[in-house]
Amino acid sequence: MIGAYTIGKKAVTFGYKRYGVPGAIASGGAALAGYLIVRRALKSSTNGGNVDSAIDAGEIKSAVEEKGLSAVTDTGTLEQAINEEEVGSTFDMDDVQSSAEEETDEFADSTGDGDSSAES
């Protein structure tokens, strides 16, 4: 599993190679935001603890690059990105999804942008 720094760095590199500086900013920001949203949602559903090792950041990065930031609210993406065995406690995927939706809405409201993607 890779962490937030690595996912941001890889997304920035991808965006820069494809679209230059604006692409690096958009791609890196969206991928990192997606990872952080999933991490917060999972932490709130498991009552804290270290959940970083349970999240496949590469899966989130790919989903965000393909579908935009709203991909982190998709149940399929969450099921692929979260390794339930690594979490260490039981959680409800529906709770994680609803928390991710709330976090995504808050993020979109604070940035003034909804579903941005480097490919838009």
Side-chain angles (χ1 to χ4, degrees), residues 7-113:
I7 188 173
K9 184 178 174 186
K10 287 183 178 190
V12 165
T13 303
F14 168 80
Y16 182 76
K17 287 180 181 177
R18 195 161 212 185
Y19 301 105
V21 174
I25 294 168
S27 179
L32 185 57
Y35 175 81
L36 294 175
I37 287 169
V38 171
R39 188 177 85 184
R40 282 185 187 173
L42 188 57
K43 273 188 174 185
S44 69
S45 295
T46 59
N47 297 323
N50 186 9
V51 297
D52 292 335
S53 63
I55 301 171
D56 184 354
E59 187 68 41
I60 294 171
K61 175 183 163 284
S62 298
V64 169
E65 286 174 356
E66 289 177 21
K67 302 175 190 169
L69 193 55
S70 66
V72 299
T73 63
D74 181 50
T75 306
T77 301
L78 292 172
E79 287 177 350
Q80 291 176 347
I82 298 172
N83 183 351
E84 295 181 32
E85 296 172 359
E86 290 282 330
V87 174
S89 65
T90 59
F91 65 95
D92 183 14
M93 188 61 76
D94 292 333
D95 288 343
V96 174
Q97 182 184 15
S98 64
S99 294
E101 287 174 353
E102 290 171 12
E103 291 285 337
T104 303
D105 290 344
E106 287 178 24
F107 179 79
D109 289 343
S110 69
T111 61
D113 190 19

